[in-house]
Amino acid sequence: MIDVAGRTAFITGGANGIGLGIARALAGAGVKLAITDRDAEALARAKAELEKTAVVEAYELDVRDRAAFAAVADAAEDRLGPVTLLFNNAGVIVTEAPAKLSYELWDFAIGINLHGVINGIQTFVPRMIARGEGGHIVNTASGSGLAAGGSGTLYSTAKFAVVGMSESLRTELASARIGVSVLCPGPVATGIVHRSMEDAPSGSVVLSPEQEQKRWKLREAINRALQESKSPDEVGEMVLRAIHENMLYIHTDRTMEAAIIARTAALLDAMPD
Amino acid sequence: MGDSIQMTDVQGRVAFITGGGNGIGLGMARAFARAGASLALSDIDDEALARAKAELGAIAPVETFRLDVRDRDAYAAAADAAEARLGPVSLLFNNAGVSGAFPADRLTYELWDWSIGTNLGGVINGIRTFLPRIMERGEGGHIVNTASGAGLAATGSGVLYCTAKFGVVGLSESMGPELAASGVGVTLLCPGPVATDIVQRSADATPLAGLSLSAEEQQQRAERVTMMTAALKASADADEVGDLVLKAVLENRFYVHTDRMMEERIAARTQALLDAMPALEPAR
C-alpha cells in the first residue's frame, strides 16, 4: 500500500472525462498534478478548477509524439518533482468495420490507445526504477479489453494489448515497489464518443448521406447512454482506492461479467484432450 | 464463437502465409499444400524460403516472397505479385512473429517497435492488405492469426511479447463475429511450446542498440536462449500444429490451442477478474 499524499502524478488525457475524474480524486488526496491533453481549452478549465485544491501544471501533449512526451516529462518533473504516479489514460474510440479500416485510422487509434501507453511506460518507468521510491502506474484499458463486443476491432485490439502489458508489467515491477493497475471501465459519462469522432482522420472512407446519418444516430445513442452512466468522479475515487490497495484490476461496474465468463468457457472448451 | 457458420473448402484456394519459411508457418504450409491449396510464402529468411519452395513445389504451386511484415509498401507489392501469379488470396495466415524478454527498466523504443511492429503491426498490415480484397470478391475465405498462450494470460514471456499477443487476441476476437456474416472465418492460434527456432532466430534479429546489458546479463541472456531452444525442441511438432490449424479452418473453429498448458492460468485469471468486480449496486 502506498501513501499518495505529497507525490507527483502525471495524467494523460487529464483535462476531460475519466482523466479529470482521477485528477480530482488525487487532488483531494494531496497529490501534485501534471495533467496533459490535446484539448487546450479543457486543460485551461481543468487547471483553473484543480489549482484551488492542489499544485497543478498543465501541458498540451499528443501522447503519440515521443520527443514531446519526454520534453513534457522533463518540464513536469522540474516544476513538481519526480513523477511516481503515472496514469496512461488518453484514449479514443473508433468503431469502423474491419474491412473499412484505413492505415490512417489504425495508426490514429493504435497510436493513441496503445503506443500512447507504451510511450508513457518508456518515458517514466526507467526514471521510477532508478529513483527507488516506488510508485504506481494505472493504465486505462476498457471492458472491451477483456472480451470483445460492440466497440469495434480497433478499440479491442489496443485495449486487449494494454491489459496484457499491464498484467505482465505488474509482475516485473513488483520488486521495484511499483504497483500496476489496469482500469477497465464500463460505460462512463464522458465525451469520448464525440471527441474521438472530431479528431479521427476521415481517411478514404466515403459514406452516403444515409450512412452518415445512420452513423450519427448510432453515436448519439451511444453518447446518450454514456451520459446516464457512472460519473467520472466516482471512477476517480475507485482508482484512488485501487492504488491504496494495490489492486490489479479496476472495473467500474459488472457489465463485462457474463462476457468474461462466456469467453473463458469457450477458451477452455477449445483445449485439446 | 465456436459455432460453425460455414465451412471453408481449402482445395484450390490460394494461401498467403507470413513467416512461412520456418516453424509453425512451414507446418501450416505443408498441411495446406497437402489439402490442395496454392501457397504464397513470405519470410525474412531467404534460405528458408528456398528450402520450403524446393520441398513443397513438388505437391503444390508455390511462390515465395522476401518480406518484412512491418513494411506496408512491400507488403502490398508482395500481395499484388502473389495474386498475379497464383490468383486471388482467400486464405491469410498472419503468422510471422518474434519473441524476446528483456528487463522492464532496460526496454528501448527500438525493442518496442521491433516486437509490436512485427507481432501486432504485421497482423494489422496483413488485414489491411488482404481483407478489403477478400470482402470485395465475395468468395469467402479464412484468416488465421498466430498469437500465443502468452496472449491469454501473462507468462514469463516478457512485456513486449504479452502486449503484442494480447493485441492479436483482441483483434481476432473482435473481428471474428464482425466478418462471420460475409463468409470469412477467423481462427486464432494460441500455441504453447512448439519445436521451432523462434527463440534463436529472434535473438539473432533483436535490435540491441541502446540495450545496456552487463557481461553477466549477456551471459544470462545467451544461456536463456540455449535453454529455451532446448526446451522447445522437446515440444509439439510444427507439422502437428499445421494439421490442427487445417482442421480448425475446415470446421471453422475459432480458438486453436496446441496443448492445455494455459488452462490453470486462464482459469485463475478469470477468477481474479471476477473477484475484482464491484458488488452489485441497487438500481440507480
Side-chain angles (χ1 to χ4, degrees), chain A residues 1 20 23 35 37 58 78 101 104 113 119 124 142 149 179 189 197 207 238 242-243 245 252 270:
Chain A
M1 182 190 298
L20 180 56
I35 57 172
D37 211 292
D78 270 355
L101 293 172
E104 289 73 21
N113 292 340
N119 294 347
F124 283 111
S142 165
M197 185 179 55
L207 296 179
M238 295 174 110
I243 295 171
E245 295 171 9
T252 58

Tab-separated table of all heavy atoms in Angstrom, chain A residues 1 20 23 35 37 58 78 101 104 113 119 124 142 149 179 189 197 207 238 242-243 245 252 270:
chain	number	residue	atom	x	y	z
A	1	MET	N	0.848	-1.196	0.000
A	1	MET	CA	0.000	0.000	0.000
A	1	MET	C	0.883	1.246	0.000
A	1	MET	O	1.801	1.359	0.803
A	1	MET	CB	-0.880	-0.003	1.250
A	1	MET	CG	-1.829	1.178	1.315
A	1	MET	SD	-2.639	1.320	2.915
A	1	MET	CE	-3.547	-0.204	2.998
A	20	LEU	N	-9.923	13.510	-15.869
A	20	LEU	CA	-10.243	14.619	-14.967
A	20	LEU	C	-10.811	14.086	-13.647
A	20	LEU	O	-10.501	14.614	-12.572
A	20	LEU	CB	-11.227	15.580	-15.643
A	20	LEU	CG	-11.669	16.804	-14.837
A	20	LEU	CD1	-10.469	17.636	-14.367
A	20	LEU	CD2	-12.631	17.671	-15.664
A	23	ALA	N	-7.893	13.068	-11.704
A	23	ALA	CA	-7.178	14.261	-11.217
A	23	ALA	C	-7.873	14.842	-9.989
A	23	ALA	O	-7.221	15.217	-9.003
A	23	ALA	CB	-7.094	15.305	-12.332
A	35	ILE	N	-1.121	17.469	-15.565
A	35	ILE	CA	-2.141	16.933	-16.470
A	35	ILE	C	-1.788	17.310	-17.906
A	35	ILE	O	-1.308	18.394	-18.178
A	35	ILE	CB	-3.568	17.426	-16.112
A	35	ILE	CG1	-3.647	18.945	-16.102
A	35	ILE	CG2	-4.016	16.863	-14.776
A	35	ILE	CD1	-5.065	19.472	-15.936
A	37	ASP	N	-3.146	16.971	-22.135
A	37	ASP	CA	-4.292	16.716	-23.005
A	37	ASP	C	-3.994	17.356	-24.356
A	37	ASP	O	-3.089	18.170	-24.488
A	37	ASP	CB	-5.578	17.336	-22.404
A	37	ASP	CG	-6.834	16.554	-22.772
A	37	ASP	OD1	-7.195	16.555	-23.961
A	37	ASP	OD2	-7.420	15.933	-21.879
A	58	ALA	N	-0.203	22.156	-16.325
A	58	ALA	CA	-0.950	21.598	-17.453
A	58	ALA	C	-0.117	21.705	-18.727
A	58	ALA	O	0.549	22.711	-18.951
A	58	ALA	CB	-2.272	22.341	-17.616
A	78	ASP	N	10.679	19.087	-13.403
A	78	ASP	CA	11.346	20.322	-12.975
A	78	ASP	C	10.460	21.127	-12.038
A	78	ASP	O	10.910	21.661	-11.028
A	78	ASP	CB	11.647	21.207	-14.205
A	78	ASP	CG	13.006	20.894	-14.798
A	78	ASP	OD1	13.724	20.075	-14.184
A	78	ASP	OD2	13.328	21.458	-15.857
A	101	LEU	N	-11.160	-0.244	-42.531
A	101	LEU	CA	-10.151	0.480	-41.768
A	101	LEU	C	-8.982	0.859	-42.664
A	101	LEU	O	-8.333	0.007	-43.254
A	101	LEU	CB	-9.659	-0.382	-40.608
A	101	LEU	CG	-10.711	-0.641	-39.526
A	101	LEU	CD1	-10.202	-1.661	-38.523
A	101	LEU	CD2	-11.066	0.663	-38.834
A	104	GLU	N	-4.630	5.066	-41.863
A	104	GLU	CA	-4.735	6.293	-41.070
A	104	GLU	C	-5.543	6.043	-39.796
A	104	GLU	O	-5.190	6.517	-38.716
A	104	GLU	CB	-5.382	7.416	-41.887
A	104	GLU	CG	-4.530	7.985	-43.004
A	104	GLU	CD	-4.400	7.042	-44.199
A	104	GLU	OE1	-5.254	6.127	-44.360
A	104	GLU	OE2	-3.428	7.196	-44.963
A	113	ASN	N	-4.176	4.793	-28.299
A	113	ASN	CA	-4.626	3.861	-27.257
A	113	ASN	C	-3.553	2.873	-26.811
A	113	ASN	O	-3.573	2.420	-25.672
A	113	ASN	CB	-5.848	3.073	-27.746
A	113	ASN	CG	-7.079	3.942	-27.909
A	113	ASN	OD1	-7.163	5.021	-27.339
A	113	ASN	ND2	-8.019	3.483	-28.696
A	119	ASN	N	4.515	4.787	-24.736
A	119	ASN	CA	5.377	5.968	-24.595
A	119	ASN	C	5.431	6.454	-23.150
A	119	ASN	O	6.482	6.900	-22.677
A	119	ASN	CB	4.900	7.079	-25.534
A	119	ASN	CG	5.062	6.696	-27.004
A	119	ASN	OD1	5.739	5.719	-27.325
A	119	ASN	ND2	4.440	7.447	-27.897
A	124	PHE	N	8.668	7.000	-18.315
A	124	PHE	CA	8.729	7.137	-16.863
A	124	PHE	C	9.260	5.932	-16.088
A	124	PHE	O	9.818	6.094	-15.009
A	124	PHE	CB	7.343	7.515	-16.313
A	124	PHE	CG	6.997	8.963	-16.512
A	124	PHE	CD1	5.999	9.337	-17.395
A	124	PHE	CD2	7.685	9.953	-15.823
A	124	PHE	CE1	5.675	10.676	-17.588
A	124	PHE	CE2	7.374	11.291	-16.002
A	124	PHE	CZ	6.372	11.654	-16.891
A	142	SER	N	-10.185	-0.928	-20.945
A	142	SER	CA	-11.639	-0.882	-21.145
A	142	SER	C	-12.197	-2.264	-20.855
A	142	SER	O	-11.473	-3.258	-20.951
A	142	SER	CB	-11.938	-0.518	-22.597
A	142	SER	OG	-13.294	-0.795	-22.909
A	149	GLY	N	-16.695	-7.079	-28.124
A	149	GLY	CA	-18.126	-6.916	-28.310
A	149	GLY	C	-18.548	-5.476	-28.375
A	149	GLY	O	-18.492	-4.763	-27.386
A	179	GLY	N	3.534	-0.465	-8.191
A	179	GLY	CA	2.296	-1.192	-8.432
A	179	GLY	C	1.764	-0.885	-9.820
A	179	GLY	O	2.045	0.170	-10.386
A	189	ALA	N	-19.832	8.463	-18.019
A	189	ALA	CA	-20.390	9.687	-18.617
A	189	ALA	C	-19.282	10.639	-19.043
A	189	ALA	O	-18.927	11.565	-18.321
A	189	ALA	CB	-21.338	10.356	-17.620
A	197	MET	N	-14.628	11.273	-32.586
A	197	MET	CA	-15.132	11.442	-33.941
A	197	MET	C	-14.579	12.723	-34.565
A	197	MET	O	-14.230	12.755	-35.738
A	197	MET	CB	-16.647	11.483	-33.903
A	197	MET	CG	-17.305	11.544	-35.267
A	197	MET	SD	-19.087	11.546	-35.092
A	197	MET	CE	-19.317	12.938	-34.000
A	207	LEU	N	-18.886	7.850	-47.194
A	207	LEU	CA	-20.205	7.350	-46.811
A	207	LEU	C	-21.292	8.111	-47.569
A	207	LEU	O	-21.151	9.300	-47.841
A	207	LEU	CB	-20.418	7.550	-45.305
A	207	LEU	CG	-19.487	6.776	-44.373
A	207	LEU	CD1	-19.816	7.105	-42.929
A	207	LEU	CD2	-19.599	5.277	-44.602
A	238	MET	N	-12.695	5.389	-7.278
A	238	MET	CA	-12.407	3.944	-7.351
A	238	MET	C	-10.928	3.720	-7.659
A	238	MET	O	-10.286	2.817	-7.103
A	238	MET	CB	-13.249	3.284	-8.454
A	238	MET	CG	-14.739	3.308	-8.185
A	238	MET	SD	-15.659	2.655	-9.618
A	238	MET	CE	-16.231	1.115	-8.942
A	242	ALA	N	-8.066	1.826	-5.445
A	242	ALA	CA	-7.307	0.698	-6.011
A	242	ALA	C	-5.800	0.907	-5.848
A	242	ALA	O	-5.049	-0.053	-5.655
A	242	ALA	CB	-7.661	0.520	-7.480
A	243	ILE	N	-5.351	2.146	-5.942
A	243	ILE	CA	-3.927	2.430	-5.733
A	243	ILE	C	-3.565	2.137	-4.274
A	243	ILE	O	-2.559	1.484	-3.989
A	243	ILE	CB	-3.592	3.892	-6.087
A	243	ILE	CG1	-3.816	4.146	-7.575
A	243	ILE	CG2	-2.142	4.219	-5.698
A	243	ILE	CD1	-3.724	5.607	-7.968
A	245	GLU	N	-4.875	0.125	-2.297
A	245	GLU	CA	-4.926	-1.319	-2.015
A	245	GLU	C	-4.098	-2.123	-3.005
A	245	GLU	O	-4.090	-3.351	-2.974
A	245	GLU	CB	-6.393	-1.779	-2.032
A	245	GLU	CG	-7.193	-1.143	-0.904
A	245	GLU	CD	-8.697	-1.399	-1.027
A	245	GLU	OE1	-9.098	-2.204	-1.887
A	245	GLU	OE2	-9.451	-0.783	-0.253
A	252	THR	N	-15.442	-0.679	-13.262
A	252	THR	CA	-16.333	0.356	-12.725
A	252	THR	C	-17.747	-0.182	-12.496
A	252	THR	O	-18.566	0.475	-11.873
A	252	THR	CB	-16.409	1.563	-13.681
A	252	THR	OG1	-16.877	1.121	-14.960
A	252	THR	CG2	-15.025	2.184	-13.844
A	270	ALA	N	-12.169	-25.229	-25.919
A	270	ALA	CA	-11.404	-25.450	-27.162
A	270	ALA	C	-10.094	-26.192	-26.914
A	270	ALA	O	-9.386	-26.544	-27.865
A	270	ALA	CB	-11.122	-24.108	-27.839
